[in-house]
Amino acid sequence: MNTPTTIYLDHAATTAVREEVVASMLPFFTTWFGNASGTYELAQASRDALDTARKEVADVLGCRPREVLFTGGGTESDNLAILGAAHACRDRGRHLITTGIEHHAVLHTVRALSQEGWRITVLPVDAHGRVAVADVEEAIGPDTVLVSVMHANNEVGTLQPVAEIGALCRRRGVLFHTDAVQTFGHIPIDVAALQCDLLSLSAHKFHGPKGVGALYVRKGVTLAPLCHGGKQERGLRPSTENVPGIVGMGVAARLAATEMDSEMRRQTALRERLLKSLLALPDVRLNGHPEERLPNNVNVSAAGVEGEAVNLRMGMHGIASSTGSACTTGSPGPSHVLVAAGVREPWLSGNLRLTLGRATTPEQVDAAADAYARIVQSLRASSPDYRPGEYP
Ligand code: PLP
């Protein structure tokens, strides 16, 4: 295969595995391939590697290594957190609270619980995609078992008031789960400060391998397993451990933490540079929160164009972008996140997401802004729907 020439601005979908991460994984495919459950040297090496990775992830979360459970990715972590907590606590009540902007790994999981007879409250968000702590408080009842609110949204990048929600849940004796798939390795996380009981993360979002993730499970929190089998991961995630993947995730977590401060500053500056160019175009507006957003997320809507048409043309210009979550690509209809935030036409179907990463340069950002301007202009020129200056 040739080397791609794409300007990659879809880091919320996935990231390249770092060379150092690949190097750390390779010996565990070949030389040190042992099943961690064995009694010999090869097995001990795998166990040691799992211990090291568990500590590396725990250090970034500010928790004890024992509180980190390895999974097969963000979706599985979300499922295990929500179904696992619900099934373990079903005698305490059958009510669960979440928001309308969660990833489908959460929304479809709570939908599955509603089919089992659970009552689900899906909270609204404001125009910036933020949930109100007061709404969470009002929704909590005597039968509430779990609140699940994501740390940052994967489409519009809005950060949620998770520390306040965590404090509220702790006071009310309700479990709190947060999907931190888009934040782990990108912005600081301290599970004690967030007061969360469960937190999901996924390695491929921070330059680790795909198909491996983790769930933080606070000491004392009981979960029911999704799968039944061996004793791996305290019986909560049976199956032979993916040692190379887990080793890679640990190294990726450690490296992300080392450069987090500088990358946050650098990517925020690039984000603002890109936004300034995009918002200088007529009838283009920002989606999500102007300040409380991920350092690498730009999501804009242009009136009079279809976001999907812009996205396809960005690809033809060699720029990888997205209209929303990778998991909804190909499914028709507007983004459920924008709908939940009350975004209406002409903005609803005209959105594009550009997410920056550690290899993104100012030149790439400028090239993306140039391409976007040309594409929007040419689509509008041939659109009978576009009426310049008529959009408040
Ligand atoms: N949660 C969020 C917020 C995500 O952005 C994603 C992936 O896009 C997931 C969960 C699912 O993660 P994974 O792809 O590792 O299953």
Side-chain angles (χ1 to χ4, degrees):
M1 269 196 288
N2 298 329
T3 309
T5 52
T6 310
I7 294 179
Y8 186 73
L9 297 178
D10 199 18
H11 288 85
T14 198
T15 58
V17 182
R18 294 174 69 137
E19 299 287 350
E20 307 94 304
V21 170
V22 175
S24 73
M25 294 169 69
L26 288 178
F28 293 94
F29 287 107
T30 50
T31 316
W32 299 103
F33 60 88
N35 187 318
S37 301
T39 51
Y40 34 79
E41 186 200 14
L42 277 176
Q44 185 60 47
S46 291
R47 276 200 295 282
D48 290 348
L50 293 178
D51 287 348
T52 303
R54 212 181 295 280
K55 181 160 182 344
E56 285 169 325
V57 173
D59 284 348
V60 181
L61 291 169
C63 69
R64 284 168 278 227
R66 243 187 98 68
E67 295 173 308
V68 174
L69 204 88
F70 296 129
T71 68
T75 302
E76 189 187 322
S77 295
D78 285 343
N79 274 261
L80 181 56
I82 295 167
L83 297 174
H87 290 156
C89 302
R90 52 158 49 104
D91 295 338
R92 284 206 343 235
R94 295 234 173 171
H95 178 228
L96 220 137
I97 299 169
T98 189
T99 79
I101 53 143
E102 301 297 313
H103 191 272
H104 285 146
V106 167
L107 286 177
H108 291 175
T109 304
V110 299
R111 190 194 290 167
L113 278 173
S114 80
Q115 281 154 9
E116 288 178 26
W118 284 69
R119 188 165 66 84
I120 312 293
T121 302
V122 179
L123 295 174
V125 292
D126 66 15
H128 294 142
R130 240 165 110 85
V131 68
V133 182
D135 287 348
V136 182
E137 180 146 36
E138 203 177 311
I140 295 177
D143 58 341
T144 309
V145 164
L146 177 78
V147 172
S148 181
V149 177
M150 71 199 317
H151 195 188
N153 181 262
N154 47 302
E155 293 191 28
V156 296
T158 302
L159 296 163
Q160 300 298 330
V162 280
E164 289 94 319
I165 296 171
L168 165 67
C169 291
R170 193 63 55 87
R171 269 200 317 277
R172 300 287 296 270
V174 175
L175 290 174
F176 176 48
H177 165 246
T178 188
D179 175 338
V181 166
Q182 290 291 338
T183 53
F184 182 92
H186 296 278
I187 63 173
I189 295 181
D190 174 353
V191 288
L194 295 185
Q195 300 198 46
C196 59
D197 300 290
L198 299 154
L199 179 146
S200 306
L201 61 102
S202 177
H204 75 102
K205 306 291 187 180
F206 55 95
H207 302 283
K210 294 170 181 61
V212 56
L215 179 66
Y216 159 74
V217 185
R218 189 170 66 82
K219 184 170 181 272
V221 171
T222 310
L223 296 181
L226 303 181
C227 294
H228 301 275
K231 290 263 190 304
Q232 295 93 345
E233 300 303 289
R234 292 184 276 134
L236 283 170
R237 209 281 182 171
S239 180
T240 303
E241 298 87 346
N242 170 8
V243 178
I246 292 167
V247 165
M249 175 165 65
V251 172
R254 174 163 48 76
L255 294 173
T258 318
E259 47 188 52
M260 191 180 288
D261 284 350
S262 57
E263 273 307 303
M264 275 173 58
R265 268 197 304 279
R266 204 186 66 82
Q267 290 183 29
T268 303
L270 284 177
R271 179 192 76 191
E272 292 306 306
R273 180 185 180 118
L274 178 56
L275 260 178
K276 196 167 164 221
S277 305
L278 301 185
L279 296 178
L281 301 171
D283 303 318
V284 172
R285 71 173 218 186
L286 175 71
N287 294 309
H289 200 285
E291 289 103 33
E292 295 295 321
R293 67 186 301 123
L294 286 168
N296 74 335
N297 177 291
V298 168
N299 191 316
V300 289
S301 285
V305 299
E306 284 294 320
E308 209 39 72
V310 178
N311 190 36
L312 281 172
R313 283 164 179 75
M314 290 292 275
M316 292 172 198
H317 281 71
I319 296 159
S321 57
S322 158
T323 52
S325 162
C327 309
T328 54
T329 303
S331 61
S335 143
H336 73 281
V337 175
L338 295 183
V339 170
V343 175
R344 301 224 172 91
E345 295 299 1
W347 313 107
L348 183 58
S349 54
N351 76 299
L352 189 79
R353 179 185 75 178
L354 297 160
T355 45
L356 323 177
R358 59 189 289 277
T360 308
T361 62
E363 292 73 28
Q364 290 185 336
V365 154
D366 293 347
D370 262 15
Y372 183 81
R374 273 184 279 131
I375 291 164
V376 167
Q377 206 175 17
S378 91
L379 285 171
R380 279 175 174 170
S382 57
S383 162
D385 298 336
Y386 178 56
R387 295 189 187 80
E390 282 190 20
Y391 307 98

